[in-house]
Amino acid sequence: MVSSECSEQVPSSSSDELQFPMDDDQANNTGKSAAEKSVSSEAPAQLNDTTDEIWRTINNKRDCFPTNRDDYSVDGLERATALKCAIGDEEKAHDSSTQSQCATESLEGTDGGGHDGEKSGRGSVENKMILKPSPSVGTSLLHLIVPEASGAKLSNGSERGSSSMMDDAWSLLRKSYVHFQKVPVGTLAAVNASEDDLNYNQVFVRDFVPTALACLMKVPDPEPEIVKNFLLKTLHLQGWKKTIDSFTLGEGVMPASFKVMYDSFQGKDVLKADFGGSAIGRVAPVDSGFWWIILLRSYIKCTGDYTLSERPEVQKGMKLILDLCLSDGFDTFPTLLCADGCSMIDRRMGIYGYPIEIQALFFFALRCAQQMLKEDTDLNKLIERIERRITALSYHIRNYYWLDFTQLNNIYRYKTEEYSHTAVNKFNVNPESIPDWVFDFMPLRGGYFIGNVSPARMDFRWFLVGNCIAILSSLATEAQTTAIMDLVEERWEDLIGEMPLKIAYPALEGYEWNIVTGCDPKNTRWSYHNGGSWPVLLWLLTAACIKAGRPQIAKRAIELVEQRLSKDGWPEYYDGKKGRYVGKQARKNQTWSISGYLVAKLMIENPSNLAMISLEEDKKIAKPRLTRSASWPCSR
């Protein structure tokens, strides 16, 4: 087990606008330098075997979630027992004192730091802002199991059932429900008393995903109906004729959002959909269809309602989405060509081309659809196309988007103008284009999928959504998953800071900001999508950490969120290099900030919830014959 040897001091927040040093580097924490840490070429075999065994046990015990959870406490104890059995071999390797300590941590809600005897813990009156370091590899998932029937304390020190922050979150979430003909069909983007609602007074497809997951995971009474209604209503909207400035969009495009409005002439509620015609930049959403397929699979996995996916209209809806993104074109890459503003990063941020977020979502949606499409004469050819694209896409991303210390050094020594199939520098990337910050940012231990790859261009920025989705969809190999988690720990101050989580790192500044963003005043440095911190991303990090066998990382991030998010009014995003300040244009009571926290808490308390948003590795996909440090193939 690898653990940090220092405690991190989290500075208290300040509302003084005069103290807003976005550019100034914060004091570095003490601890081992990157050069002193060993470079591991593969994930530890024991950890992988143990983690696989745990999730096999979870899947065997619970293929789908029960729709009636009145006896949830009993189910929780049974799942805890199953996990204990699954990790029995691992626990035998520890001495009796370690076992006793682990049991105590499980019941008392350890922070994952492994320093329970220290006076500087979270219970200390004089050190309440100190977070203990998080161990890296080998932490048992048993530490996450809190028996629901007991009065055990959670990591934030509150009693289960009396958590004021979770109660506040659920109360606000219910206020955001949107009804159509007296049934709930989604949630508003924000519950804001301000008259200046702009576009926050409607249901966004991507925004609703964490809310839907929270409703499915809710205990003891889940709310699957709102999820089902949402899926069917957006499917209905897909069938509408879609035009932007008199240009007709493809049949498979899903709406970016919709509103429920009362038509006084007809005397009833009507739906008004937006397919990008009202969006800034007039860009049609690429990610809505992918999130719809992923959420459909989550609903089915949770409820066992397979009849929904088997409906002819649902099968047709999936087919239209897939036909749209699998259509032939002049592009020779297996990735999907995308415009700026087509995803969660809905403004010009230099993601044009093949952004990692869309490629990972594309891969995830393809694999989910592969499980739900019915095999018949009409769909067999589509399924074959999906299988071919999955194989090609996984190879492309795992090889060409992966960056770690060794690969960075390889790119630094690239030769240009190579031709033919023997070329090492296949995309003709000039080493002089590597930004200076990458050399300092890249630790010896760790790696990540970079933002974009295209001819003569590599976007070395870190994007959290793409990397976490790559883990959940098993686009990332086990070794790459471990390396991504290593990077998060090594660069905690940069990627997590004081308010999780950085959507992108680093921020664009100066001349680069002028050119790439078009002088966008909302995307100034360390704000909004340009290096801003988004609490909603907490659910993605938590899911990825649990799948990677590193739940202590998520628990540590949740503790940070619990210190401020509710007190600050559940804002949409935070500004500043460390995420210290509430975003200058952030809406309060942002629905997905609320639901992102709820999903993270529900998953950390019951890791088996991961099954509805995660896919196991597809054994048919050939792994690249590479270590995690030698990412790009070399023909020499």
Side-chain angles (χ1 to χ4, degrees):
M1 180 181 297
V2 179
S3 64
S4 302
E5 295 183 357
C6 63
S7 294
E8 299 178 15
Q9 178 72 35
V10 180
S12 60
S13 61
S14 172
S15 59
D16 188 353
E17 294 184 358
L18 295 179
Q19 300 176 8
F20 198 81
M22 288 188 173
D23 284 334
D24 297 339
D25 293 331
Q26 305 294 329
N28 294 328
N29 294 323
T30 59
K32 290 186 177 181
S33 66
E36 294 176 303
K37 299 180 181 179
S38 60
V39 180
S40 171
S41 63
E42 296 181 355
Q46 181 180 358
L47 173 63
N48 292 339
D49 293 342
T50 303
T51 305
D52 289 343
E53 186 177 356
I54 290 172
W55 293 121
R56 280 197 299 271
T57 302
I58 290 175
N59 290 331
N60 290 337
K61 292 286 289 183
R62 182 176 173 180
D63 289 334
C64 64
F65 291 69
T67 55
N68 187 347
R69 299 190 187 181
D70 293 337
D71 55 347
Y72 188 85
S73 297
V74 178
D75 291 342
L77 291 172
E78 290 178 352
R79 286 193 294 277
T81 304
L83 281 173
K84 290 179 182 179
C85 296
I87 62 171
D89 294 338
E90 179 188 20
E91 294 298 323
K92 290 178 182 178
H94 298 280
D95 56 30
S96 58
S97 62
T98 302
Q99 293 175 1
S100 176
Q101 179 183 358
C102 291
T104 303
E105 292 174 351
S106 178
L107 291 176
E108 296 184 0
T110 178
D111 65 351
H115 298 278
D116 290 338
E118 294 182 359
K119 295 182 180 180
S120 61
R122 282 187 54 76
S124 172
V125 175
E126 57 189 5
N127 292 293
K128 289 194 175 188
M129 299 301 289
I130 294 178
L131 296 179
K132 298 178 183 177
S134 175
S136 299
V137 184
T139 297
S140 169
L141 291 182
L142 173 62
H143 295 207
L144 285 178
I145 299 302
V146 180
E148 290 86 347
S150 71
K153 290 185 178 181
L154 302 177
S155 60
N156 64 353
S158 63
E159 297 287 341
R160 180 175 175 81
S162 61
S163 172
S164 60
M165 186 167 174
M166 291 193 72
D167 291 342
D168 179 40
W170 280 117
S171 176
L172 288 170
L173 194 62
R174 292 188 189 96
K175 292 179 181 178
S176 71
Y177 282 16
V178 173
H179 292 77
F180 178 73
Q181 297 178 351
K182 299 182 179 181
V183 297
V185 293
T187 50
L188 296 175
V191 184
N192 198 335
S194 170
E195 295 180 1
D196 184 20
D197 284 324
L198 293 178
N199 61 340
Y200 289 80
N201 60 348
Q202 53 190 310
V203 182
F204 284 87
V205 172
R206 73 174 71 95
D207 290 37
F208 182 71
V209 172
T211 298
L213 295 176
C215 291
L216 294 173
M217 297 177 186
K218 183 183 176 185
V219 290
D221 301 311
E223 301 179 13
E225 283 304 311
I226 187 175
V227 183
K228 183 177 181 179
N229 295 337
F230 170 84
L231 291 168
L232 292 176
K233 286 303 174 188
T234 48
L235 179 65
H236 170 71
L237 295 174
Q238 183 197 39
W240 287 15
K241 183 177 180 181
K242 301 171 279 287
T243 59
I244 297 179
D245 293 337
S246 301
F247 178 76
T248 303
L249 299 178
E251 285 187 273
V253 175
M254 278 287 184
S257 64
F258 65 88
K259 291 182 181 180
V260 176
M261 306 178 69
Y262 182 76
D263 188 330
S264 57
F265 181 75
Q266 300 184 50
K268 63 179 182 179
D269 289 340
V270 294
L271 296 175
K272 180 180 180 181
D274 176 27
F275 294 90
S278 300
I280 294 178
R282 301 300 186 262
V283 179
V286 174
D287 60 343
S288 292
F290 296 153
W291 279 122
W292 187 87
I293 292 176
I294 293 167
L295 183 58
L296 175 63
R297 187 249 178 199
S298 297
Y299 170 82
I300 293 170
K301 189 73 175 178
C302 173
T303 64
D305 183 11
Y306 292 94
T307 58
L308 180 63
S309 64
E310 293 172 355
R311 290 188 184 184
E313 64 270 27
V314 175
Q315 291 284 310
K316 180 182 177 181
M318 282 192 287
K319 181 180 182 298
L320 290 175
I321 295 171
L322 296 171
D323 282 341
L324 189 66
C325 59
L326 291 172
S327 59
D328 296 329
F330 289 104
D331 194 0
T332 60
F333 296 165
T335 43
L336 192 63
L337 183 63
C338 302
D340 267 315
C342 68
S343 62
M344 176 182 173
I345 299 178
D346 58 5
R347 287 168 174 254
R348 181 176 166 188
M349 269 289 293
I351 65 171
Y352 179 88
Y354 311 91
I356 183 61
E357 175 182 341
I358 294 299
Q359 311 315 318
L361 278 172
F362 183 27
F363 181 86
F364 201 176
L366 288 176
R367 290 203 59 201
C368 289
Q370 189 181 31
Q371 296 180 1
M372 296 184 292
L373 287 172
K374 296 170 62 177
E375 293 188 9
D376 56 37
T377 305
D378 295 333
L379 293 177
N380 282 345
K381 290 184 178 179
L382 178 61
I383 294 174
E384 291 176 2
R385 291 170 63 195
I386 291 173
E387 291 176 349
R388 289 196 301 269
R389 181 62 69 91
I390 286 175
T391 301
L393 187 60
S394 62
Y395 177 85
H396 188 87
I397 299 297
R398 290 174 179 179
N399 284 273
Y400 302 134
Y401 279 67
W402 183 249
L403 186 72
D404 57 16
F405 182 83
T406 300
Q407 178 54 19
L408 179 59
N409 198 46
N410 291 340
I411 298 173
Y412 178 70
R413 294 168 51 83
Y414 268 170
K415 296 180 181 179
T416 59
E417 305 304 325
E418 293 181 312
Y419 182 74
S420 84
H421 65 278
T422 61
V424 175
N425 186 0
K426 297 184 178 180
F427 292 92
N428 198 37
V429 175
N430 192 322
E432 297 300 320
S433 67
I434 304 175
D436 292 338
W437 66 264
V438 178
F439 296 103
D440 296 326
F441 177 74
M442 180 60 68
L444 288 175
R445 183 177 69 104
Y448 65 104
F449 292 108
I450 63 175
N452 216 322
V453 175
S454 58
R457 180 198 178 199
M458 294 181 71
D459 184 351
F460 290 91
R461 285 177 295 174
W462 154 272
F463 291 90
L464 183 135
V465 174
N467 278 269
C468 286
I469 292 294
I471 292 175
L472 295 177
S473 63
S474 289
L475 174 59
T477 65
E478 292 178 357
Q480 288 170 339
T481 295
T482 299
I484 293 171
M485 292 292 107
D486 289 343
L487 180 81
V488 171
E489 285 194 319
E490 291 286 337
R491 295 292 176 257
W492 182 271
E493 288 300 313
D494 294 324
L495 304 180
I496 309 298
E498 295 180 24
M499 175 54 70
L501 300 155
K502 278 280 179 286
I503 187 173
Y505 182 89
L508 301 172
E509 303 183 62
Y511 179 76
E512 189 178 18
W513 170 77
N514 292 341
I515 298 301
V516 175
T517 74
C519 301
D520 188 349
K522 193 169 185 178
N523 268 330
T524 54
R525 58 197 175 117
W526 308 114
S527 180
Y528 201 55
H529 292 137
N530 189 16
S533 298
W534 292 69
V536 61
L537 302 178
L538 184 65
W539 81 267
L540 277 170
L541 178 70
T542 300
C545 288
I546 293 174
K547 183 170 183 180
R550 309 279 277 277
Q552 70 285 345
I553 297 177
K555 292 173 71 177
R556 190 177 171 196
I558 291 173
E559 285 187 344
L560 281 173
V561 166
E562 289 176 332
Q563 291 174 11
R564 288 192 55 190
L565 187 60
S566 178
K567 296 177 182 178
D568 290 339
W570 306 93
E572 180 184 14
Y573 64 95
Y574 284 77
D575 285 350
K577 201 167 186 179
K578 303 298 180 184
R580 180 178 296 180
Y581 304 90
V582 174
K584 58 187 176 183
Q585 295 189 39
R587 292 297 188 277
K588 297 294 184 73
N589 295 331
Q590 186 77 17
T591 303
W592 68 355
S593 295
I594 297 168
S595 57
Y597 166 73
L598 287 172
V599 173
K601 289 289 287 187
L602 292 168
M603 292 189 70
I604 213 72
E605 293 175 17
N606 180 11
S608 61
N609 281 322
L610 178 67
M612 73 171 74
I613 197 62
S614 173
L615 294 172
E616 293 304 311
E617 183 180 3
D618 187 349
K619 301 300 182 182
K620 296 180 182 179
I621 301 176
K623 294 182 180 179
R625 298 178 181 178
L626 304 164
T627 65
R628 91 178 189 199
S629 294
S631 303
W632 288 31
C634 179
S635 303
R636 293 180 179 176

